[in-house]
Amino acid sequence: MAASLPDEKVTELRQVIHDRLSQDDMQRRIRELVSETLYNQAGKTTDDLDQQRLIGSLHSRGIIDELMTSMGLTNKQKHRPTESGEKPLHVDSSKRYLYLQVLGGKAFLEHLMDTNSSSTFTLYVHFRRQRFVSRSVVSCCEPDLREGFLLELRKDTGSNRMISAGDTLALADPIHLVLIKTDCSGESSLIGSHYMEWRRVLLSSRSRLCVAVEINGVGGEAKVPAGILELRLELMPRLEKVLSDDVVTAQIGLEHGRVAERERLFLVYAKQWWKEYLQVRPSHAHRLVKIFAQDENGINRPVCSYLSPLLAGRLLDNARQAARFVSLFGYERAPTVGGGAKTEQWCSMHAYLSKGKGDCENHAILLCCLLLGFSLDAYVCIGTKAKGMAHAWVMTIDTTGLVTFWESLTGHRYVHCPIDPDEPPAVPQPLPKYPYRTVGCVFNHQSFYANSQPSDSLDCCQFALLDETLWKCMSSDAIRSVCDVHLQPYWPVHPPLRGNTIDAGLSSHELELELRSLTTEHRQDLGLSTVWDNHLAYLLTPALAAYELERCTGLTAGNSEFQQSIRRSIADGHTFKGFPIQFIHSNARRIFASCLKSPVCTEIVTCRGDQVRLAIRVRIYPYPESTNAVWIMFACKYKSVL
C-alpha cells in the first residue's frame, strides 16, 4: 500500500490506525488475544510467537475487520485468512459457519507402495445440500490431504438470521466424507465413505475440536479400516455460551433412540407384511421383492430410503435429457474378493456421484429421482432380464395409464404393451421390444408394491398399482417413518448436482489433436504416410450433432444435409468411409485402442490407395457431474483403383 500511495496519504492512514488502536476497548481485546496465544504456545519464547497465527487470530476475532470497517475499507463480506497457505475464506458476519479443515491422512497401508504412481486421492464432502471437493493429491500411505471447507449452518426455514446454539444442536445431519482414488487411466474407485458426527465441537470453550476420523472400506470391507483422516472443526463465530456435555450427549442419544425405535418397528412390520405376501401364493418366495438393500457402509436400509425427488435446476432441461445424462455414468458391478454370486451394493447418492459409476441399481435410482423431480409418476422396477439375470430399471405411468420403461444404462425407452393370455391363439399379440422378462416389485420414495399376479412375467403384467388383487402395497405411513428426511436425519438428503466446468470446444480440439498424433504414429509403423483433410473433418460435425440429438430425444435430424455435403465434397471416382463411436471418457490412448478393435475403424486408419486423405472429428457434449458424451468419427476418402 505504501508503494502505491503518496507519502502524505500513508502518514494520514497510519494516524487513523493509531487513533483506533489507542482506544481502551481495542487495546484490552488485543492484550487478551496475545495472552491467550502465548498461553497456547506454552514453553516457547516470545521470539517463537507465530506472526501468521497471531494475525489469523486477529482476523478470527473480527478485530482487523472491525478496524477496517471503522475506516470504511470493507463491506459485509469478511475475508478470513486460513492456515497452510490456503485461500482466504469469504465469511458473512450475519451467518454461522462450521469450518472443516483436513490436516492430512495417515495409515492408508494398502497404498503404501503407491508413492511413485500417478494415482491420486480426492476427498468429497456433503453437508445439508452443500458439496465440496478437495484438490487431488498423490495416493500413498500418508496422503497430503490439506484442505479447508466452509460449511454454512442454517435452518431449513431459510431464515437469514444467525443460527443460535440450540438450533445448531438440533442440526442432526452428519457430514458425509467420501474418498475416491483415481488411477493414471482415469478409472475411479471408492476407498471409503464415512458419516461424521460433528456436534461435539459445541462442547469446546473455544469452539474448536480436533478429531481423527477412521475411514473404513466399502462393501465386504466395511468393518476394516482403510485409513485415518485428521480433521479440525471450528465454529465461526464461536458460541457465546458453551453447551454442556450432558445436553449434547442427551440430544444425540435421544435422536439415535428415536431412529432405532422407528427402524425396529418398521422391521417388525416388514416381517409381518412379507409373511402375508407369502400366504397369497407360495411361489412368491422366488420373486425379486427387495425390501432392504445394503449401502457402501454395510448398512441395511429400506430401498425407499434411497429415493427422493432431485431437482436439476438449469442443468437438465427435461426427462429425456436426464435419461441421457444418467446413461453416461460408467457401469461397474460391486467389486468382490474371490468368486461366487453377484454382490449387491447400493451406494449412497453422494458416493455414487463422486465415483461417477455404479451398478444398474444406482443408475436406476438416480434416473428415478430425476424423473420424480420433473413431477413424473416414476418407480424403480426390480426384476430379471434374459437368462434370469437380476436387473433394475425405471418405469413411469402417465395420466392415461400408459406405462413406459426407461433403461437407465442406455437411456432407451420402451412402451409396455401387455399380452392378454386369455385371447385365442389366432389373435395377434404385440411383440415386446424391451429386454426385461420378469418384475417382482416397484417402488419410489413414498410407495412400495410387490407383484401379486399369478405370473411375474412382464409380458402379461398389469400395472394397475392400486388394484390390491394385482399388487400388494406397503403402508405409506410405515415407509414415511423410516424414509422421511425429517424423521430420519442420519440418511442425508440427496446432494445437488454440480455443473460441468470443462471448455467443450477446447477439450474437443485437444483430444482431436491427440488422436491425430496416435493415428499418424500407427500408420508410420505400418510404413504409410498420412495426409489430413481439415475440411472433411469439419463436415463430420453435423453427423456427430445428429447422433447426440438422437440419443437425447430419439429423433433423427440433419442426416440428409450431412449426406448431401459429403456427396458434394467427394470427387467423382473417390470413395468415402466413416466410423462414428461414442465414449464417456477422453483418454486418447484408451479410445484409440478401443477403436482399433473394430474392423471398420481399422480399415479406415490403415487405408491404402491413391490420394488417401484422413479426417478425425471430436465433439464433446458436457453434462452435469463432469460426465461427458465424447463423440468421435474417423473418416477417409481415396481414389478408387480397379
Side-chain angles (χ1 to χ4, degrees), residues 378-444:
Y379 304 85
V380 173
C381 302
I382 303 295
T384 62
K385 295 174 67 174
K387 299 181 180 180
M389 181 182 298
H391 191 64
W393 66 97
V394 180
M395 170 186 73
T396 56
I397 305 176
D398 69 9
T399 54
T400 65
L402 181 67
V403 174
T404 303
F405 298 137
W406 303 64
E407 177 48 63
S408 55
L409 296 179
T410 62
H412 295 162
R413 301 166 67 251
Y414 310 94
V415 175
H416 180 232
C417 299
I419 296 173
D420 188 351
D422 296 329
E423 289 286 352
V427 176
Q429 298 280 8
L431 295 177
K433 298 181 180 180
Y434 44 79
Y436 320 120
R437 294 294 177 262
T438 66
V439 58
C441 64
V442 301
F443 61 90
N444 58 22

Side-chain angles (χ1 to χ4, degrees), residues 337-400:
V337 178
K342 170 188 174 183
T343 300
E344 273 195 2
Q345 180 180 296
W346 293 27
C347 285
S348 62
M349 184 63 72
H350 181 222
Y352 171 58
L353 294 177
S354 301
K355 186 169 61 169
K357 58 184 177 181
D359 212 333
C360 59
E361 291 87 1
N362 289 120
H363 283 70
I365 288 170
L366 176 57
L367 178 55
C368 188
C369 290
L370 290 169
L371 298 185
L372 290 171
F374 283 109
S375 293
L376 296 180
D377 189 17
Y379 304 85
V380 173
C381 302
I382 303 295
T384 62
K385 295 174 67 174
K387 299 181 180 180
M389 181 182 298
H391 191 64
W393 66 97
V394 180
M395 170 186 73
T396 56
I397 305 176
D398 69 9
T399 54
T400 65

